Amino acid sequence: MSSTAAFDYSQVIPEVLQRMASIHSLMETYHFDQKLTHLVLLRSSQINACGYCVQMHIREARRDGETNERLDRLVIWNQVDDYSKREKAALAWTEALTRLERDTNYSILRTNLMEHFSDQEVGILTATIAMINLWNRIRVSGH
């Protein structure tokens, strides 16, 4: 492979990618809100500029009943009334864990999360965000 060629990780670390994919099946056994999962996956992918993932998550969200209007406005979720307080708490957590800015007040974000989610739901939400960031970084590094 030349130094400028795109990486095809499915050829060089297929077992790693398979194990990563198996995590999603395990997380699905917790029955976390699927529509909210789509929003979280899409928002992280937008922030990380992963075109492949954005396209995939939009398609999956539409397939599972999400509206075009809400998907179109996801980039400005905190400026519109299309999303519930629960969804906004999850999206704020998503942005904080995707951007990792030093001055983020995680305590305030966690307090807001706990108003809308159980401890287990926060755990699955956090794991979902961590996994999509991992997938985004792998995908983007292969461009």
Side-chain angles (χ1 to χ4, degrees), residues 101-119:
E101 296 174 1
R102 292 182 188 264
D103 60 347
T104 300
N105 188 330
Y106 292 98
S107 179
I108 290 172
L109 294 171
R110 277 191 303 274
T111 298
N112 194 22
L113 278 176
M114 296 312 295
E115 292 176 17
H116 304 284
F117 298 95
S118 69
D119 290 353

Side-chain angles (χ1 to χ4, degrees), residues 9-139:
Y9 293 111
S10 66
Q11 297 299 311
V12 295
I13 55 166
E15 298 88 4
V16 171
L17 298 182
Q18 289 167 358
R19 297 269 175 115
M20 286 172 52
S22 73
I23 298 285
H24 296 286
S25 297
L26 175 60
M27 290 187 339
E28 287 174 4
T29 67
Y30 287 88
H31 305 290
F32 189 75
D33 180 337
Q34 192 62 36
K35 281 184 121 176
L36 183 53
T37 298
H38 288 309
L39 294 175
V40 165
L41 297 174
L42 178 55
R43 186 65 192 123
S44 282
S45 297
Q46 289 171 335
I47 292 167
N48 290 324
C50 183
Y52 174 88
C53 295
V54 166
Q55 185 178 30
M56 177 179 65
H57 295 305
I58 286 174
R59 182 178 59 249
E60 291 172 349
R62 284 183 181 139
R63 178 198 67 211
D64 289 342
E66 189 56 78
T67 67
N68 288 333
E69 291 77 17
R70 282 173 38 103
L71 293 172
D72 290 344
R73 290 189 284 273
L74 185 59
V75 297
I76 55 166
W77 65 268
N78 57 351
Q79 299 173 33
V80 296
D81 294 327
D82 296 338
Y83 306 96
S84 68
K85 289 181 180 180
R86 184 175 195 264
E87 290 169 328
K88 286 185 174 190
L91 290 168
W93 191 240
T94 300
E95 291 200 3
L97 296 183
T98 299
R99 290 194 169 111
L100 296 177
E101 296 174 1
R102 292 182 188 264
D103 60 347
T104 300
N105 188 330
Y106 292 98
S107 179
I108 290 172
L109 294 171
R110 277 191 303 274
T111 298
N112 194 22
L113 278 176
M114 296 312 295
E115 292 176 17
H116 304 284
F117 298 95
S118 69
D119 290 353
Q120 185 179 70
E121 288 174 319
V122 171
I124 290 298
L125 176 61
T126 301
T128 299
I129 296 164
M131 287 304 298
I132 191 56
N133 277 286
L134 177 57
W135 282 113
N136 289 163
R137 282 155 177 76
I138 288 173
R139 179 56 83 167

